[in-house]
Amino acid sequence: MNRRNGQAKKADLMAQGNQQSFGGTILETVKTVVYALLIAGIFRTLFFQPFWIPSGSMKDTLLIGDFLFVNKMTYGYSYASCPSLYLPRFGIDIDASDICGFLDGDNTRLFGDEPERGDVVVFRHPVTGRDFIKRVIGLPGEQLQMRDGVLHIDGTAVEQTPDGTFEEIAEPQGPQRLRPRCANGPVGDGGTCVKEKFVETLPNGVEHSILNIGTQGSDNTPVFTVPEGHYFMMGDNRDNSSDSRERPVAGGVGFVPFENLVGRARRVVFSSSGRSMLFFWTWRGDRFFERIE
């Protein structure tokens, strides 16, 4: 009997040990996940933020489906440096101001360096708070105007040099299945969509590509005077971009405060023309690690 009791006690101890070991394993797993999330959150807040190109407003510099990391250290830190998470399908809408709103309102940055004209920048929309990506075109105190599709800064026309055409397949693009606008349109599925291409040389010598689709209202604008502490942003696909040429209430961006800048985009890391990055046959290998000019 004593022998049986001893064996039972031994079995009980072993079972308790296994339970404790199992519980310890779960606890360690939870701690590992929590630490990983904290490290990822700190990394994203302080250093780099991933960004997918959702629209064609920056063609042909950036294409729908390009994936890049935004360098947050370039312009220092503000409330906009805190991460946002917007997943409407799951009812998730966490805004940077929900986390770091106490830093909002003074239009200043910690360790802040001002952007240079021609930088490709991710910033928070002044009204909606959604992340946008455009090119810095106008600096504080400057006057900007579009005349017949030509950018003028402080009354002087910016040089544009014809550079052939930009061509792409006329088909739905990216997860949102957006169709491109074409200068030779309307173009049916599978046809060649063509846009005029120019090289624009900004006053500081930065050269970049811009596209033209046709004549429209945004080709001729009033004079915009950029307020102090703000910047004038434009897309490279000039006829297909909601930017500083329109006020936010009209669907545009308006002037962008310094504190709303998230960071600078320098290089495309990955690119896919399909509905999902898992569709490997839609990957654009020639754009992997391409420098953003």
Side-chain angles (χ1 to χ4, degrees), residues 39-51 68-74 77 81 83 262-267 269:
I39 293 171
I42 293 172
F43 183 84
R44 181 174 176 180
T45 300
L46 296 180
F47 303 111
F48 298 97
Q49 174 176 315
F51 190 84
L68 48 89
F69 284 100
V70 179
N71 188 341
K72 291 189 171 185
M73 297 177 284
T74 305
Y77 304 96
S81 302
V262 175
R264 183 179 179 184
R266 294 183 179 272
R267 193 175 297 274
V269 177

Side-chain angles (χ1 to χ4, degrees), residues 137-174:
I137 296 295
L139 306 178
E142 293 182 335
Q143 293 187 329
L144 292 93
Q145 184 181 26
M146 295 294 294
R147 302 180 197 167
D148 297 323
V150 178
L151 173 66
H152 289 67
I153 300 178
D154 290 335
T156 301
V158 173
E159 179 183 351
Q160 286 186 7
T161 305
D163 191 33
T165 59
F166 170 71
E167 300 182 0
E168 58 185 335
I169 303 299
E171 61 184 2
Q173 300 175 352

Side-chain angles (χ1 to χ4, degrees), residues 157-215:
V158 173
E159 179 183 351
Q160 286 186 7
T161 305
D163 191 33
T165 59
F166 170 71
E167 300 182 0
E168 58 185 335
I169 303 299
E171 61 184 2
Q173 300 175 352
Q176 300 181 54
R177 314 310 291 157
L178 300 177
R179 292 188 60 84
R181 292 181 56 205
C182 315
N184 61 328
V187 178
D189 279 352
T192 301
C193 178
V194 179
K195 299 176 181 63
E196 292 182 296
K197 185 177 177 181
F198 298 85
V199 173
E200 184 174 77
T201 303
L202 298 172
N204 60 345
V206 172
E207 296 182 346
H208 66 101
S209 175
I210 61 172
L211 302 181
N212 177 58
I213 299 173
T215 301

Side-chain angles (χ1 to χ4, degrees), residues 11 59 65 72 114 119 126 146 149 159 161 189 217 228 256 268 290:
K59 291 178 180 178
K72 291 189 171 185
E114 296 182 0
D119 286 358
M146 295 294 294
E159 179 183 351
T161 305
D189 279 352
E228 289 300 320
V256 177
V268 174
E290 181 173 291

